[in-house]
Amino acid sequence: MTLTSNVSKTILISVDLSELRVAVIEEGRTVEALIERRGEGSLAGNIYKGKIDNVLRGMEAAFVDLGLPRNGFLYVDDVVVPGQDPKSRRRRKIDELLKPGQEVLVQVVKDSMGTKGPRVTMELSIAGRFLVLSPHGEGSGVSRRLPDGERERLRKLAKSIEQDEGGIIVRTAAAGATADDLERDLRFLHKMWAQVEARAKPAKAPSLVYAEADLSLKVIRDLLARNVDEVIVDSERQYRRILGWVRTTQPEFVDRIKLYSDSVPLFERHGVDQAILSTLNKRVDLPSGGYLIFDYAEAFTVIDVNTGRFVGSSGRLEDTITRNNIEAAREVMRQLRLRDIGGIIVIDFIDMASAKNRAEVLKVLQSELEHDRTKTYLVEISPLGLVEMTRQNVTAGVREILTRTCPTCGGEGVVLSEQTMAVEAERRLRKMARSSGSDAFLVKMNAKVASGLVGPGGMKLLELERETGKHFTLESVERMPLSDVELVREGTRADVDGDGLAVKDGDEKSVKISEPHMYNLTDGVARLDGGYPVVVGGAIGYVGQQHKVRIDRATRTAAYASLLDAKPTAIDLPPEPGDYELPEFDREVGDRLELEQRTRPRSRRKTPAKTTAAVSSTATDEAADAEPTDEAAAEKPKPRRRSRAKSATAKAAEAKAEAAPDEAAAADADVVDATAVEGGEETATKKRRRGKRGGRGRSKSTAAASADGAAPADAEEAPAAPPADGAAPAPVDPPADDAAPAPKPRTRRRAPAKKTTKAVAAEAEPAPDPAPEPAPAAVAADGDGSDAGERKRGLLGKILGS
């Protein structure tokens, strides 16, 4: 085992009027930070003459009145009865040993923590430099932290100086001590015990009999050894006090006590202040890029190890994880000492597949624990990568001394949000309205909560008033607690708001929107004479402009209005919770978005290149006049809502369709297959369709026929135009079985559908009477879809612009 004394140390002691701080530096880093405040020092080691307050047989313990805010807890195994064999303690009953009102001499072994009082024992002890005297004990013992050879040497020395009464324990600091050193220390401890007995006899319970030395002297007594390079003190008074103690007990170390007088504070120069503040953080970064997370619970502390930015350099995941865990193990042990964490501790290392690597990490933990003065117990790494250990919890750590429980969250770390409190305030206003017969209420609450309750433009408050039939005037207070809702006044509306309001409900005024709302990001605020605020809903885009508004709700504290001569810009913000009506401008924006969705062209599959070329090469006037078949019509997109802007040609087509409904229905019912090209000849086949199409399709067919210069009275009598090469036209009636036409390619059926879309775009243009385009040009333009796409985008822009 390696001796703790082999590590070089520096002890820093800083004294303020209300606080005494001690830091231990090892290898340039702060490993221990101890703080003691005046009147709030540690009670561990103090001896009290107490009185038994209560004996609990079921718990096998008693509570002792020490004259402190909380009683001490005395367990049955810590009870010492003079003249009784210590081996028979386990068979005793607490009510047989102690009675209420009995006076006992006890020593504090653990400070009060949380809701628990201090832990006390009747096994008294007084610590010296090398020895610990136990007046009621027997025999001698040696610290287990010493090497085996040194332990054996000191055990022989301790037996040679044993006394008839009391027992002694050789401390770790006695490494290298001689028999004379032990005897001198033992004589000093006997004198101290004699003083304690002399004070305890006449003392009246409860009272303090013996007080441990202050923090600085305890550190000097426990740590000042050969491995301490120097002890630096920044207070001259404390320096002289420590120097006198060392001259009496350890004169060989007098030259190592030094007084610090530099202008830079002692702890700041050595980085101790920063180390102390770091104990308040849950995250601790590792040099290689990993980090630790400390999570505190009432019963234990959990430490999570993460790789973070550390990705390793060896190329093997196992090596990267092992290196990160080893680095984390060293830092964890340092943090346990720096934060003075006690109780049960669970360390979650990253899982390692190799048992050899797990053993290596555990070895690092054990070697680092040798530098810790506090008693610890370590368990091996579990298959889950967890390490369980316990560390003696004697005093409160730095974190507990520097901080207190948050009065708002109660230590939970989270609080109810402003929106949650706004919902709760709404419920309280509803309850107020139901339980009271008054018509109006003046309520005071936090400004952020009031803003959430009012809603954008005051719409939530208006809806609440409509539902309850009451009037609510909200008075906002910036520093008021979020949970407070205070009823200031109730009665009639005149009693609450008064008669002399700057504006009234329904007034229309021209105001200048001077500033954005502090909490509702979509609203603007206008100021009337005297600074009276008018919250204008949705006016965030008009700050600095003059606009006309209508007052929706006026109160004594503020008014809520909506814009009349401007339409606010839609802002992508999450909707406010609650079911209330949107302002008029929001509905119009929604209508525009809906219209854009309806007029947006659907995506279509592109025609193969060879089919497009064939259509372009055989496009003629007959192809333009031909009507689609039933199959082609089935593939066409569903008709969309017509634009309000109609051309004169479309209106004339509708009038003609109304004048001759039968003819229009018949013309719409006929659809023509795409032109089939075989052997250089084109044939168009007509098919009859039952039923009729109304609305858009009817006017579209008529308009298309008018544009081509052909308006057949009956679809059955309208023959197909002859092909360009003079071939015979296709028969009107379906062909016989022996003269069945050649099958049509499926890709050829989409060309007329594109023409129909183009015709819709042509109808929607507001030109008075556009000249019809030649059919070949229309087919060619539809072949690549560029012209039709431009017209669709132009149409969409005109619709949204209107």
Side-chain angles (χ1 to χ4, degrees):
M1 178 178 290
T2 304
L3 279 171
T4 305
S5 58
N6 291 341
V7 180
S8 177
K9 297 180 181 180
T10 299
I11 300 176
L12 308 179
I13 301 175
S14 176
V15 182
D16 296 314
L17 293 178
S18 303
E19 192 173 72
L20 173 65
R21 299 181 296 172
V22 177
V24 179
I25 310 296
E26 292 182 1
E27 300 177 355
R29 303 187 66 188
T30 305
V31 296
E32 290 187 42
L34 308 173
I35 300 177
E36 183 177 274
R37 291 179 176 171
R38 180 174 296 181
E40 300 178 3
S42 173
L43 302 178
N46 291 356
I47 299 177
Y48 291 86
K49 187 175 184 180
K51 181 183 295 186
I52 302 298
D53 184 48
N54 192 12
V55 178
L56 304 177
R57 182 173 182 178
M59 296 182 61
E60 294 185 351
F63 287 97
V64 185
D65 183 8
L66 305 176
L68 302 175
R70 294 175 183 158
N71 289 342
F73 181 82
L74 177 62
Y75 188 60
V76 64
D77 289 345
D78 295 326
V79 177
V80 175
V81 178
Q84 188 176 19
D85 186 6
K87 298 181 180 180
S88 62
R89 293 180 183 179
R90 296 183 181 273
R91 299 187 297 271
R92 300 175 303 175
K93 299 295 182 182
I94 188 70
D95 55 347
E96 299 174 356
L97 301 175
L98 299 175
K99 303 295 180 182
Q102 180 180 346
E103 294 184 355
V104 292
L105 206 61
V106 295
Q107 187 174 28
V108 178
V109 295
K110 183 177 180 181
D111 282 333
S112 176
M113 295 182 184
T115 59
K116 301 178 180 178
R119 178 78 178 268
V120 298
T121 180
M122 294 180 67
E123 295 181 356
L124 307 182
S125 62
I126 299 177
R129 179 188 175 190
F130 302 125
L131 302 175
V132 176
L133 174 63
S134 178
H136 302 306
E138 296 180 356
S140 61
V142 182
S143 173
R144 296 180 181 179
R145 300 178 62 85
L146 294 169
D148 295 338
E150 185 67 11
R151 286 186 64 193
E152 188 63 26
R153 184 185 73 86
L154 292 175
R155 183 179 290 109
K156 294 179 180 179
L157 292 179
K159 289 183 178 180
S160 64
I161 61 174
E162 284 184 0
Q163 303 294 325
D164 296 337
E165 295 182 359
I168 58 174
I169 299 175
V170 182
R171 305 183 61 191
T172 307
T178 63
D180 294 339
D181 294 334
L182 298 183
E183 290 178 359
R184 184 175 62 250
D185 199 36
L186 182 59
R187 288 194 297 269
F188 172 77
L189 294 177
H190 277 298
K191 291 181 181 180
M192 292 290 296
W193 173 243
Q195 294 178 2
V196 170
E197 286 185 316
R199 293 177 183 176
K201 289 180 180 180
K204 186 176 181 180
S207 61
L208 174 65
V209 175
Y210 168 79
E212 266 279 25
D214 65 6
L215 179 62
S216 59
L217 295 182
K218 283 194 294 186
V219 170
I220 294 297
R221 181 192 66 192
D222 297 341
L223 296 182
L224 186 57
R226 294 180 179 84
N227 65 323
V228 176
D229 296 334
E230 56 184 355
V231 178
I232 306 177
V233 188
D234 64 358
S235 171
E236 184 176 358
R237 180 180 179 182
Q238 192 72 11
Y239 165 76
R240 293 177 180 177
R241 187 163 176 257
I242 294 174
L243 192 62
W245 170 276
V246 173
R247 283 175 178 171
T248 304
T249 59
Q250 307 172 40
E252 65 273 20
F253 297 120
V254 170
D255 58 339
R256 303 189 187 186
I257 312 299
K258 299 179 181 179
L259 177 64
Y260 182 81
S261 58
D262 199 343
S263 59
V264 180
L266 175 62
F267 275 28
E268 181 179 342
R269 176 176 292 277
H270 292 81
V272 180
D273 286 337
Q274 185 177 0
I276 292 176
L277 291 178
S278 69
T279 62
L280 306 180
N281 300 329
K282 297 180 64 174
R283 171 166 173 160
V284 177
D285 292 322
L286 301 176
S288 64
Y291 62 92
L292 309 175
I293 296 294
F294 286 76
D295 206 349
Y296 301 93
E298 183 177 0
F300 58 91
T301 303
V302 179
I303 306 174
D304 185 25
V305 180
N306 299 283
T307 55
R309 296 180 289 102
F310 179 58
V311 295
S313 58
S314 63
R316 295 183 68 252
L317 177 61
E318 183 73 11
D319 295 342
T320 302
I321 292 175
T322 304
R323 179 181 172 186
N324 188 84
N325 285 342
I326 291 176
E327 190 177 59
R330 294 192 176 97
E331 185 62 26
V332 164
M333 294 299 104
R334 171 179 172 265
Q335 290 294 326
L336 292 182
R337 297 173 62 190
L338 179 62
R339 300 176 182 231
D340 197 12
I341 299 175
I344 301 174
I345 302 168
V346 177
I347 310 172
D348 182 14
F349 286 102
I350 304 174
D351 295 341
M352 294 171 288
S354 173
K356 179 182 178 181
N357 294 335
R358 292 196 294 269
E360 184 177 358
V361 173
L362 188 62
K363 183 179 179 181
V364 172
L365 287 174
Q366 293 172 342
S367 64
E368 293 294 326
L369 282 177
E370 294 177 1
H371 306 294
D372 192 0
R373 296 185 294 124
T374 307
K375 185 184 301 183
T376 57
Y377 175 73
L378 181 65
V379 182
E380 293 184 356
I381 299 179
S382 69
L384 297 178
L386 302 177
V387 172
E388 300 176 6
M389 63 178 296
T390 59
R391 190 171 185 269
Q392 188 177 11
N393 202 353
V394 179
T395 61
V398 176
R399 177 173 173 267
E400 286 72 18
I401 295 176
L402 297 181
T403 62
R404 66 182 179 93
T405 303
C406 174
T408 303
C409 70
E412 296 294 331
V414 294
V415 296
L416 295 176
S417 65
E418 290 83 355
Q419 189 61 45
T420 302
M421 300 312 301
V423 175
E424 181 62 27
E426 177 187 340
R427 296 191 182 104
R428 297 177 68 173
L429 293 186
R430 291 181 185 273
K431 182 179 179 181
M432 191 183 301
R434 289 193 300 266
S435 60
S436 176
S438 302
D439 295 332
F441 303 88
L442 175 60
V443 183
K444 185 187 296 184
M445 62 181 64
N446 182 273
K448 294 182 180 180
V449 175
S451 177
L453 176 60
V454 168
M459 297 304 298
K460 287 186 179 180
L461 181 61
L462 293 174
E463 181 66 20
L464 178 62
E465 292 182 339
R466 282 196 295 266
E467 292 181 3
T468 59
K470 309 289 185 178
H471 294 275
F472 297 100
T473 299
L474 305 183
E475 184 176 345
S476 302
V477 182
E478 288 290 341
R479 293 186 173 273
M480 192 170 181
L482 298 179
S483 58
D484 288 0
V485 176
E486 179 183 347
L487 177 61
V488 180
R489 188 184 305 123
E490 62 177 306
T492 63
R493 187 171 180 184
D495 296 336
V496 173
D497 292 336
D499 297 330
L501 295 179
V503 291
K504 296 182 180 180
D505 295 357
D507 288 354
E508 295 183 0
K509 298 180 69 68
S510 179
V511 296
K512 181 179 181 180
I513 304 171
S514 59
E515 60 191 77
H517 196 280
M518 186 176 296
Y519 305 114
N520 287 334
L521 303 181
T522 60
D523 295 350
V525 178
R527 299 282 180 178
L528 301 182
D529 296 339
Y532 182 77
V534 178
V535 180
V536 185
I540 186 63
Y542 297 95
V543 175
Q545 301 179 14
Q546 191 86 12
H547 286 285
K548 189 175 182 180
V549 299
R550 180 180 64 249
I551 305 299
D552 298 324
R553 174 76 165 89
T555 67
R556 64 187 297 271
T557 58
Y560 304 96
S562 55
L563 288 164
L564 292 180
D565 62 347
K567 296 178 180 180
T569 306
I571 301 177
D572 293 333
L573 291 174
E576 293 289 338
D579 186 13
Y580 55 91
E581 295 183 0
L582 293 174
E584 187 67 27
F585 66 86
D586 285 340
R587 289 198 295 269
E588 183 168 346
V589 171
D591 293 341
R592 288 191 179 186
L593 295 177
E594 182 181 0
L595 179 59
E596 181 183 354
Q597 293 292 337
R598 292 182 176 179
T599 56
R600 184 177 299 166
R602 296 186 179 182
S603 59
R604 300 181 180 181
R605 292 183 297 178
K606 294 183 179 181
T607 306
K610 59 181 182 179
T611 306
T612 304
V615 173
S616 300
S617 62
T618 59
T620 59
D621 294 338
E622 291 80 8
D625 293 337
E627 296 177 357
T629 63
D630 292 17
E631 297 175 354
E635 295 179 1
K636 292 167 60 179
K638 296 181 179 179
R640 297 177 175 85
R641 179 181 294 179
R642 291 178 57 85
S643 171
R644 296 178 181 176
K646 297 181 180 180
S647 64
T649 305
K651 293 180 179 179
E654 289 184 358
K656 183 176 180 181
E658 292 176 0
D662 296 338
E663 296 177 1
D668 188 75
D670 295 335
V671 287
V672 181
D673 283 342
T675 305
V677 181
E678 286 190 10
E681 295 184 358
E682 296 179 349
T683 59
T685 304
K686 271 190 173 184
K687 291 186 179 180
R688 193 163 186 89
R689 174 177 174 179
R690 295 183 179 180
K692 56 183 179 180
R693 295 165 64 110
R696 180 179 179 182
R698 180 172 56 195
S699 61
K700 178 178 63 180
S701 301
T702 308
S706 301
D708 293 336
D714 193 351
E716 293 181 359
E717 299 176 0
D725 56 1
V732 175
D733 296 331
D737 296 340
D738 56 347
K744 285 82 177 174
R746 185 173 181 178
T747 56
R748 301 295 298 276
R749 296 174 183 171
R750 291 188 176 274
K754 293 185 179 181
K755 174 182 177 300
T756 304
T757 306
K758 182 176 180 298
V760 175
E763 291 172 9
E765 293 181 0
D769 191 8
E773 293 183 16
V779 175
D782 289 343
D784 56 6
S786 60
D787 189 23
E790 289 292 332
R791 294 191 176 221
K792 292 171 190 175
R793 288 190 292 271
L795 171 61
L796 179 59
K798 292 177 181 179
I799 293 174
L800 295 179
S802 62

